[in-house]
Amino acid sequence: MEGIRIKNVFYILLGSAIFAFGLVHFNMENNLAEGGFTGITLLLYFLFKIDPAISNLVLNIPLFLIGWKLLGRKAFIYTIIGTVSLSLFLWIFQHYSAISIPLKDDLTLAALFAGVFVGVGLGIIFRYGGTTGGVDIIARLGSKYVGWSMGRTMFVFDFCVIALSLVYLNYKEAMYTLLAVFVAARVIDFIQQGAYAAKAAMIISENNKEIADTIMNQMDRGATVLNGKGSFSGLQKEVLYCVVARNEIVRLKNIIKQVDPHAFVAVNDVHDVLGEGFTLDENKNPIEHH
């Protein structure tokens, strides 16, 4: 199918497997809830013993029919793959997994494992263009017809689901559920943003040309010259802007210090970098990250 990449499908399947493993062996086995549609499937499981593999599909099918135009063809196919494979792996791990990880006596570990597995699984799915349906579609509908941001819609939905889960959670399990959700959110951010995380430096110096040439010669990194103006002096100044990998920032600062010990340097985190030297090589071809 045009536009559908086998690599993306593989990683969406891998992410779904990791996500399902965490739900079965850490959330379900230790009575921990979850946000979103996953939280609703767990709510139905703990209250009525409805298999999450089935309820996940039943809950998402109406949303697919409503929201497929919002997702676009490729995203819709990836979402179908993510949702169906999640239900499949939930069924497999519930009925055919011989692994047992008893952590009821240590809910801290259970919550941490739940958060890590859910976060890694969803992070991989999101990074390769997939979703597991549910709240993502609702958030898009809310953005289009109500004017809410997707983040706001997802937060409100997650809050309501976790609040409803209090009908079967005690206060201890509720707190550990919040811990798991927090860890999962941080891990999702890391998986999505960590691969291209970098550092950006703003450099103000009387020797900008020499600094830029040294960076190019010693680090094979470029720098962009921006026009600036001192608010106090009113003088026009050139500002160098340079983005490097995280492990190169010390080397960059040493070069600046060597050329101009009095240079003003401000360093910021960059969470997503696209372009030559990061996602493209010198011939403008994509770099494969492993």
Side-chain angles (χ1 to χ4, degrees), residues 201-220:
M202 301 284 286
I203 309 159
I204 301 175
S205 168
E206 299 299 327
N207 305 98
N208 276 347
K209 178 70 167 62
E210 187 178 350
I211 291 173
D213 290 344
T214 307
I215 292 171
M216 176 63 75
N217 293 331
Q218 294 188 18
M219 299 182 66
D220 197 26

Side-chain angles (χ1 to χ4, degrees), residues 1-6 9 73-74 77-78 81:
M1 286 181 289
E2 187 179 350
I4 304 301
R5 300 181 62 187
I6 299 300
V9 172
R73 179 178 172 276
K74 183 164 69 172
I77 292 172
Y78 285 153
I81 293 170

Side-chain angles (χ1 to χ4, degrees), residues 86-213:
L86 175 60
S87 283
L88 176 63
F89 286 121
L90 281 170
W91 185 78
I92 291 172
F93 288 130
Q94 285 182 90
H95 297 91
Y96 295 101
S97 177
I99 299 172
S100 178
I101 309 173
L103 290 173
K104 281 192 177 291
D105 294 330
D106 193 344
L107 283 180
T108 302
L109 268 182
L112 291 175
F113 274 118
V116 168
F117 272 80
V118 170
V120 169
L122 282 176
I124 292 173
I125 292 170
F126 293 160
R127 184 172 167 189
Y128 286 92
T131 74
T132 55
V135 183
D136 181 69
I137 297 175
I138 291 176
R140 289 171 188 260
L141 289 170
S143 175
K144 182 174 182 179
Y145 295 110
V146 185
W148 285 17
S149 69
M150 290 186 64
R152 180 182 178 187
T153 303
M154 295 175 80
F155 174 79
V156 170
F157 195 92
D158 286 352
F159 177 82
C160 292
V161 171
I162 293 175
L164 284 173
S165 300
L166 292 175
V167 299
Y168 71 87
L169 296 177
N170 58 40
Y171 76 93
K172 196 174 181 181
E173 292 164 343
M175 288 304 299
Y176 283 116
T177 290
L178 292 176
L179 173 61
V181 171
F182 176 80
V183 171
R186 300 284 75 77
V187 173
I188 288 170
D189 287 343
F190 177 78
I191 295 292
Q192 286 192 280
Q193 302 173 348
Y196 299 133
K199 295 285 187 179
M202 301 284 286
I203 309 159
I204 301 175
S205 168
E206 299 299 327
N207 305 98
N208 276 347
K209 178 70 167 62
E210 187 178 350
I211 291 173
D213 290 344

